[in-house]
Amino acid sequence: MAKGDPGAATRSKRAAPRTRRAAATGEPELVQLLTPEGERIETALGPDGTEYRVDFTDDEYRGLYRDLVLVRKLDAEATALQRQGELGLWASLLGQEAAQVGSGRALRAQDMAFPTYREHGVLYCRGIDPIMPLGLFRGVDQGGWDPNEFKFNMYTIVIGAQTLHATGYAMGVAMDGKTGGEDGEAVIAYFGDGATSQGDVNEAFVWASVFNAPLVFFCQNNQYAISEPLERQTRVPLYRRAGGFGFPGVRVDGNDVLASYAVTRHALDTARNGQGPSLIEAYTYRMGAHTTSDDPTRYRIASEVEAWQAKDPIARMKAFLLKQQIVDESFFAEVDEQARTESVHLRERVLNMPDPQPVSMFDHVYPHGSAELDEQRARFSQYMESFEGSAH
Amino acid sequence: MATETLTLGKALNTGLRRALENDPKVVIMGEDVGKLGGVFRITDGLQKDFGDQRVIDTPLAESGIIGTAVGLAIRGFRPVCEIQFDGFVYPAYDQIVSQVAKMHYRSQGKVRIPMVIRIPYGGGIGAVEHHSESPEAYFAHTAGLKVVTCANPQDAYVMIQQAIASDDPIVFLEPKRRYWEKGPVDLDAPLADAYPLHSARVARPGTDATVLAYGPMVRTALDAATAAAEDGRELEVIDLRTLSPLDLTAAYESVKRTGRCVVVHEAPGNLGLGSEVAARITEECFYSLESPVLRVTGFDIPYPAARVEEEYLPDLDRVLDAVDRTFGW
Ligand SMILES: Cc1ncc(C[n+]2csc(CCOP(=O)(O)OP(=O)(O)O)c2C)c(N)n1
């Protein structure tokens, strides 16, 4: 992994001009380590000359593939559950698996993540039971995991708000003296391309920069904010915004799990070493609807979706594993079977998720309760009991 | 025939269309209002017919939507801003309460901000957090803003046009769970003859007790009145329609006749609209009251998870229960 040394950066830029990479991908300045055809690229260069590479064992490659497939399958199961009326809503990550698994696996145990409502893949990588976000979308709770235990904050629905939380948390990490070495802590904030228009996100950029917060801004540019295409949010490639705020930005092929990993790992290490924030733009595509209540046929064309289909993150990993003879066909069957079993299991557990007791809505408003609320709760219980035995 | 049966959502869409037709300075702006027609399709088809200079898909930034609309208004336009959901108005809150509300006052009347801020609000649709809130009290508390809400398709059609034609900045609250309810709409009656915007209206006459409601709760109050009538109790239901300024003339008149009053809203009770209404009615009708003014409201908790929202939201039973209590005093 390259160091953030500016001298080294200039040297490597000369060694391999980025125009060559641009020609290879058709996307300017896109860091890529695995082509859509499954070809490995040994080293890729970032816009500042940083060299990105990965050095995985065969087992680790297999593990990444397994993650991608599992995450996609669980997501598909949740979409199906929504269609069958078991979830009120679902925000699918279909197409964004590589960006999420790559960045999620790049996190070290001590790192903290601040997600949006779509980071099911990162959540999975943090070791959280995939049933957790389903409670929120089923309407039985508002996201029930312990952010501190899993180092993965609650989902954030209000666009961009979490980027400021991440910044403050990262400032706290620095204030606690937890940066400056390999075992330092880093923080990652997830958000979408649409979110970059929000004041909060721009304020987060300012704060992170001037306080040199150990933070990685991870933008999954999936090309749309509900119906609005990227052009409605920006006239410049998003990663280039970072420069104006005073920290580095890089665009990575978000459908390439290896590059997503390498770029994130580097940015996190830079942050944990005390070198401040950076912005990663994971260039990807939302293959499905924005959420299950959206109708993408109103605003996008099939050929665009097909073009992105050809860049599928799982297919290219599969092609790579086969080409390199890291696995044989039986491996894929085994992974598929595992994914199927886990999704069936998930489904069963969702169907058995009980509705909360109505009176529980009064819980946790204040850490130590309030007399006023206790009274409301008591009156409410009494009122509910008055219906006992009736048809209510 | 001028009268058609429309959903409340379609009535709003038709009202917006009329406003765009009648005044070239009207512009609609918001997230996804263009091709998608808004997440509730309230602006459906408008960009297609009026172009993307009149129906503007904005960047995803609420403060930006309202702040730029202020500039457009100063420039002579009449912006109609859509905030996608109630819980997303807060990023724009500063612009609304610190800027929009005060421009006219600060400029001694020289600057007008004829802006409408449309917000689908309230619960009952099984949504996730931030999609079911009732923020009316925040805005009603801010002098310089006007706050109105419609409860049926006819009002939706007329009130949105009146709001757009008004020179005041208006927070226009749309009861999202009533978007799909149908009713007759007189499409041809001239706006000049329409019932005035900032006035309450009797939605159902009655003699025994007065129920005051607005927005999504008007339907609930009417249902309660129907149920009460079966038990021989005639409830008068008043649709407040305007929350700031509050028009309580019909309410005073009614309570002086009935002697009993129940105020219903979804928002939490603590410092909600109901508190103000109850206080004023107590002041104005004290000698006619047979019992205290009661409130039926949401609880003082963050809007809960969807699977318990039926218990959170005031329903017919809770309204009737309150009515019973006013009689039991
Ligand atoms: C402050 C705010 N405004 C509006 C919304 C409604 N909304 C939910 S998701 C979304 C689009 C988000 O786009 P993007 O940031 O690109 O993330 P994506 O969902 O595409 O991953 C919008 C407008 C919201 N949740 N929060």
Side-chain angles (χ1 to χ4, degrees), chain A residues 91 96 116-119 156-160 191-196 198 220-228 233 286 290-291, chain B residues 31-32 39 60-62 84-85 87-89 91 130-131:
Chain A
Q96 301 179 216
T116 75
Y117 43 78
R118 203 187 289 283
E119 264 66 77
T156 305
I157 285 176
V158 177
I159 297 298
F191 52 100
D193 42 298
T196 61
Q198 287 286 359
Q220 283 165 86
N221 175 1
N222 65 10
Q223 314 299 329
Y224 285 91
I226 307 190
S227 73
E228 298 189 0
Q233 315 296 338
R286 190 189 82 208
H290 167 72
T291 66
Chain B
E31 295 157 10
D32 304 292
V39 291
L60 206 179
E62 287 75 13
Q84 203 156 70
F85 277 92
F88 308 144
V89 71
H130 311 294
H131 290 75

Side-chain angles (χ1 to χ4, degrees), chain B residues 8-218:
Chain B
L8 191 149
K10 184 65 186 169
L12 285 166
N13 175 269
T14 313
L16 289 168
R17 175 175 288 279
R18 280 286 154 89
L20 285 164
E21 280 163 2
N22 291 341
D23 184 348
K25 288 297 189 184
V26 171
V27 291
I28 290 177
M29 50 202 286
E31 295 157 10
D32 304 292
V33 297
K35 270 190 189 164
L36 192 65
V39 291
F40 290 107
R41 310 288 183 264
I42 304 304
T43 55
D44 196 15
L46 298 180
Q47 189 184 64
K48 193 169 132 278
D49 296 343
F50 296 92
D52 59 10
Q53 300 274 310
R54 304 283 311 279
V55 181
I56 305 168
D57 268 331
T58 65
L60 206 179
E62 287 75 13
S63 185
I65 293 170
I66 303 301
T68 57
V70 167
L72 280 162
I74 293 171
R75 177 73 196 177
F77 287 84
R78 303 186 90 83
V80 183
C81 303
E82 175 173 304
I83 298 292
Q84 203 156 70
F85 277 92
D86 35 61
F88 308 144
V89 71
Y90 306 115
Y93 189 70
D94 168 52
Q95 283 289 341
I96 299 173
V97 303
S98 307
Q99 304 301 328
V100 173
K102 294 180 167 69
M103 289 257 165
H104 187 255
Y105 189 69
R106 286 171 51 219
S107 69
Q108 302 185 17
K110 292 184 190 70
V111 172
R112 291 192 181 170
I113 308 292
M115 178 196 295
V116 177
I117 302 167
R118 297 180 35 238
I119 311 176
Y121 84 119
I125 63 163
V128 292
E129 55 178 356
H130 311 294
H131 290 75
S132 305
E133 303 182 7
S134 300
E136 61 268 25
Y138 300 122
F139 300 113
H141 190 67
T142 302
L145 294 177
K146 291 188 172 176
V147 184
V148 302
T149 174
C150 54
N152 60 57
Q154 176 67 43
D155 270 356
Y157 173 71
V158 174
M159 288 172 76
I160 188 64
Q161 295 183 71
Q162 291 172 319
I164 295 169
S166 163
D167 281 342
D168 296 305
I170 295 185
V171 174
F172 192 92
L173 298 168
E174 301 173 2
K176 71 168 86 80
R177 75 158 131 157
R178 307 298 180 203
Y179 272 149
W180 301 275
E181 289 184 11
K182 288 185 174 167
V185 181
D186 182 352
L187 292 171
D188 288 349
L191 210 54
D193 299 347
Y195 196 78
L197 180 60
H198 295 287
S199 39
R201 177 146 62 179
V202 176
R204 173 184 170 123
T207 47
D208 298 334
T210 304
V211 179
L212 303 180
Y214 56 87
M217 283 292 112
V218 174

Side-chain angles (χ1 to χ4, degrees), chain A residues 136 138-139 142 157 194 197-198 225-228 232-233 298 355 361-362 365 373 376 380 383-384 392, chain B residues 31-32 36 41 44 57-62 84 128 131 299-301 303 305-308 311 317-318:
Chain A
L136 172 69
R138 189 174 167 85
Q142 299 186 329
I157 285 176
S197 297
Q198 287 286 359
I226 307 190
S227 73
E228 298 189 0
R232 193 37 51 145
Q233 315 296 338
R298 282 184 168 237
D355 282 357
M361 72 172 124
F362 292 95
V365 180
L373 220 51
Q376 280 185 31
F380 174 75
Y383 175 71
M384 292 306 281
H392 191 78
Chain B
E31 295 157 10
D32 304 292
L36 192 65
R41 310 288 183 264
D44 196 15
D57 268 331
T58 65
L60 206 179
E62 287 75 13
Q84 203 156 70
V128 292
H131 290 75
F299 302 109
D300 295 323
I301 61 173
Y303 196 88
R307 296 268 170 154
V308 290
E311 281 78 19
D317 287 322
R318 271 168 68 193

Side-chain angles (χ1 to χ4, degrees), chain A residues 254-331:
Chain A
N255 285 16
D256 170 354
V257 70
L258 304 183
S260 295
Y261 177 94
V263 167
T264 312
R265 181 49 80 108
H266 173 76
L268 287 166
D269 285 344
T270 306
R272 89 177 71 255
N273 285 323
Q275 290 162 275
S278 48
L279 169 65
I280 297 172
E281 178 190 359
Y283 202 74
T284 181
Y285 195 78
R286 190 189 82 208
M287 294 304 295
H290 167 72
T291 66
T292 42
S293 47
D294 175 36
D295 172 12
T297 61
R298 282 184 168 237
Y299 56 82
R300 75 183 188 192
I301 48 172
S303 60
E304 183 184 279
V305 183
E306 278 162 30
W308 278 90
Q309 199 101 50
K311 303 179 189 178
D312 183 71
I314 297 184
R316 72 173 77 175
M317 206 44 197
K318 190 170 189 171
F320 162 70
L321 292 175
L322 282 172
K323 269 186 201 149
Q324 298 296 308
Q325 299 183 324
I326 294 172
V327 301
D328 57 27
E329 285 289 348
S330 70
F331 169 75

Side-chain angles (χ1 to χ4, degrees), chain A residues 53-330:
Chain A
R53 64 170 69 87
V54 288
D55 185 18
F56 285 122
T57 63
D58 287 358
D59 247 5
E60 285 168 331
Y61 283 128
R62 281 190 286 263
L64 285 173
Y65 178 83
R66 192 181 298 272
D67 287 342
L68 294 172
V69 171
L70 277 167
V71 158
R72 176 171 292 184
K73 181 69 179 173
L74 293 171
D75 179 74
E77 190 63 53
T79 302
L81 282 162
Q82 196 283 334
R83 296 282 178 239
Q84 291 154 17
E86 297 297 337
L87 302 177
L89 185 80
W90 183 245
S92 165
L93 60 54
L94 184 63
Q96 301 179 216
E97 297 87 352
Q100 294 200 13
V101 168
S103 62
R105 286 296 177 213
L107 293 168
R108 297 187 198 270
Q110 68 269 27
D111 296 341
M112 180 71 159
F114 286 82
T116 75
Y117 43 78
R118 203 187 289 283
E119 264 66 77
H120 323 306
V122 185
L123 175 136
Y124 183 85
C125 292
R126 292 265 87 185
I128 300 177
D129 185 340
I131 189 112
M132 281 302 184
L134 297 176
L136 172 69
F137 289 103
R138 189 174 167 85
V140 302
D141 60 39
Q142 299 186 329
W145 61 90
D146 179 351
N148 291 315
E149 181 189 346
F150 295 103
K151 295 269 175 189
F152 183 84
N153 210 60
M154 286 173 292
Y155 277 6
T156 305
I157 285 176
V158 177
I159 297 298
Q162 77 283 3
T163 58
L164 281 167
H165 310 159
T167 304
Y169 187 96
M171 288 164 62
V173 167
M175 276 145 63
D176 283 342
K178 294 293 169 70
T179 56
E182 269 302 285
D183 56 355
E185 293 178 32
V187 182
I188 190 165
Y190 289 89
F191 52 100
D193 42 298
T196 61
S197 297
Q198 287 286 359
D200 275 5
V201 174
N202 289 274
E203 292 181 32
F205 288 170
V206 171
W207 282 65
S209 176
V210 302
F211 291 102
N212 202 43
L215 176 59
V216 176
F217 291 106
F218 193 92
C219 175
Q220 283 165 86
N221 175 1
N222 65 10
Q223 314 299 329
Y224 285 91
I226 307 190
S227 73
E228 298 189 0
L230 184 64
E231 303 83 73
R232 193 37 51 145
Q233 315 296 338
T234 185
R235 296 285 296 270
V236 295
L238 290 173
Y239 76 93
R240 281 199 213 151
R241 286 215 187 152
F245 289 94
F247 49 87
V250 56
R251 179 184 272 178
V252 63
D253 182 342
N255 285 16
D256 170 354
V257 70
L258 304 183
S260 295
Y261 177 94
V263 167
T264 312
R265 181 49 80 108
H266 173 76
L268 287 166
D269 285 344
T270 306
R272 89 177 71 255
N273 285 323
Q275 290 162 275
S278 48
L279 169 65
I280 297 172
E281 178 190 359
Y283 202 74
T284 181
Y285 195 78
R286 190 189 82 208
M287 294 304 295
H290 167 72
T291 66
T292 42
S293 47
D294 175 36
D295 172 12
T297 61
R298 282 184 168 237
Y299 56 82
R300 75 183 188 192
I301 48 172
S303 60
E304 183 184 279
V305 183
E306 278 162 30
W308 278 90
Q309 199 101 50
K311 303 179 189 178
D312 183 71
I314 297 184
R316 72 173 77 175
M317 206 44 197
K318 190 170 189 171
F320 162 70
L321 292 175
L322 282 172
K323 269 186 201 149
Q324 298 296 308
Q325 299 183 324
I326 294 172
V327 301
D328 57 27
E329 285 289 348
S330 70

